[in-house]
Amino acid sequence: MAIVMGLDQHRGQIAAEWIDTMTGEVFRARIAPADRAGVRTFLVAFKGQGLEVALEATTGWRFVVEELERVGAEVHLAEPAEASALKGKKKRAKTDWADARHLRELLLIGRVPESWIAPAHILDLRARVRTRHLLSHQRTEWQQRMHAVLYHHGVPQRRDLLTVASRDWLASLSLPAAAREQLEIALHVIDALELKLTPFDRELRAIAREQPGARALVREFYGVGELTAITIIAELGDVRRFANSRDVVRYAGMDITVYQSDAHRAPGHLSRQGPPALRWALYEAAQRARFPASPDRAYYQQLAERIGGNRACLALARKLLKRSYHLLKELGDQALAPVA
């Protein structure tokens, strides 16, 4: 490597600091505006110069990485929280230049906490499954708002408010005008979300039926369907970057955190430090995998009797995640093959 650079990226500008390893000279520059054209113009001078760059995996990293690869740079994507932790607990000045220098120094000594740079087709697929997850989550939130309005006015609880029968029941209720307006707005928003979700689901299912990794997950594991399989593929990516299945569990945020000091040990809970869409897919698959026809039924029942049904489902979700890791690892490159 001839030039080692750290980039601190923001929406308005990007701070760059680099060192010429042949001369030892350090340089700084500010890229503004921080868009594709600005980055491309800045990088023209580094083409063919043996450039190696570290930047954090924050919003907007994709186009910067694409432009860096365009000039032949070797790119290292740093996990933001771990990169920040490497600064230590001592109070220091916090500036864009200091952050860029920190990344440059980590790269020089080989201590950048690497994040995986997914290929373009996986990034696009990941964006789609996350959008689908967001739409579904918003639909659930609006249903919860409807339940809250009804309870606030003393209406008996009813589970599914979106069926034709339930909508007729809602129309027959005697409610204040403000409450009626809240319910109508909620139903209107839910209907609009459904108009987007239905074709979205159809397209993702079609991709899952063609994508080799997703097909293998559906075929091998009871409870994993087309939507959950394609979500697992998109969020996990290339599992060969993980040393073992325990690392995959931590990546998904399904590991149990523990805080212990001397004789005191606080109760553990899920870390939830990974992709929410991945945890949703695994928990949905586990809900199906506890059915009587499932080969994991006995495992679920044994745990449910001891720790309760919800925690047993979480344990089953972790088991499905570990199995998915081993299967996708065996598939190798084929696990992430793009759909024609």
Side-chain angles (χ1 to χ4, degrees), residues 24-235:
E25 292 180 278
V26 176
F27 304 89
R28 285 179 175 178
R30 197 178 296 275
I31 307 169
D35 55 17
R36 187 180 291 273
V39 172
R40 181 173 295 183
T41 300
F42 169 74
L43 291 175
V44 167
F46 297 96
K47 187 172 184 178
Q49 297 297 312
L51 178 63
E52 191 169 356
V53 183
L55 70 156
E56 291 185 341
T58 53
T59 302
W61 66 262
R62 179 176 178 175
F63 83 88
V64 178
V65 169
E66 289 172 350
E67 290 304 315
L68 286 166
E69 291 176 340
R70 187 171 176 270
V71 297
E74 182 179 344
V75 186
H76 301 263
L77 199 60
E79 203 286 323
E82 292 186 23
S84 179
L86 289 173
K87 294 179 181 179
K89 295 184 178 180
K90 185 177 179 180
K91 296 293 183 181
R92 293 178 172 86
K94 170 70 169 70
T95 67
D96 295 343
W97 298 123
D99 290 341
R101 184 185 311 114
H102 176 61
L103 289 169
R104 173 178 67 78
E105 291 173 346
L106 289 178
L107 186 53
L108 273 171
I109 62 176
R111 293 194 63 195
V112 176
E114 301 266 359
S115 290
W116 180 57
I117 301 177
H121 74 281
I122 292 297
L123 289 174
D124 291 341
L125 182 60
R126 185 176 292 174
R128 300 186 77 180
V129 300
R130 290 181 179 179
T131 299
R132 191 262 170 205
H133 178 71
L134 175 62
L135 292 173
S136 179
H137 185 66
Q138 289 178 338
R139 179 181 59 183
T140 301
E141 284 184 341
W142 280 101
Q143 289 184 70
Q144 291 170 341
R145 290 188 179 100
M146 292 176 66
H147 282 291
V149 170
L150 293 173
Y151 179 65
H152 191 59
H153 292 280
V155 177
Q157 186 177 11
R158 187 168 179 138
R159 288 184 63 86
D160 191 349
L161 299 177
L162 303 182
T163 64
V164 174
S166 292
R167 290 178 186 237
D168 292 340
W169 172 74
L170 287 171
S172 69
L173 295 175
S174 178
L175 294 169
R180 175 68 59 193
E181 184 180 42
Q182 286 178 290
L183 294 175
E184 289 176 355
I185 290 173
L187 286 171
H188 177 76
V189 173
I190 289 171
D191 288 341
L193 291 171
E194 288 284 359
L195 284 175
K196 294 295 183 181
L197 267 173
T198 300
F200 220 115
D201 286 357
R202 189 185 307 118
E203 292 171 13
L204 287 175
R205 290 180 191 276
I207 294 172
R209 287 192 290 269
E210 299 296 326
Q211 207 282 327
R215 290 173 59 185
L217 291 173
V218 174
R219 181 179 66 249
E220 296 295 329
F221 304 135
Y222 190 101
V224 177
E226 292 167 348
L227 281 178
T228 51
I230 202 64
T231 301
I232 291 170
I233 290 293
E235 293 290 5

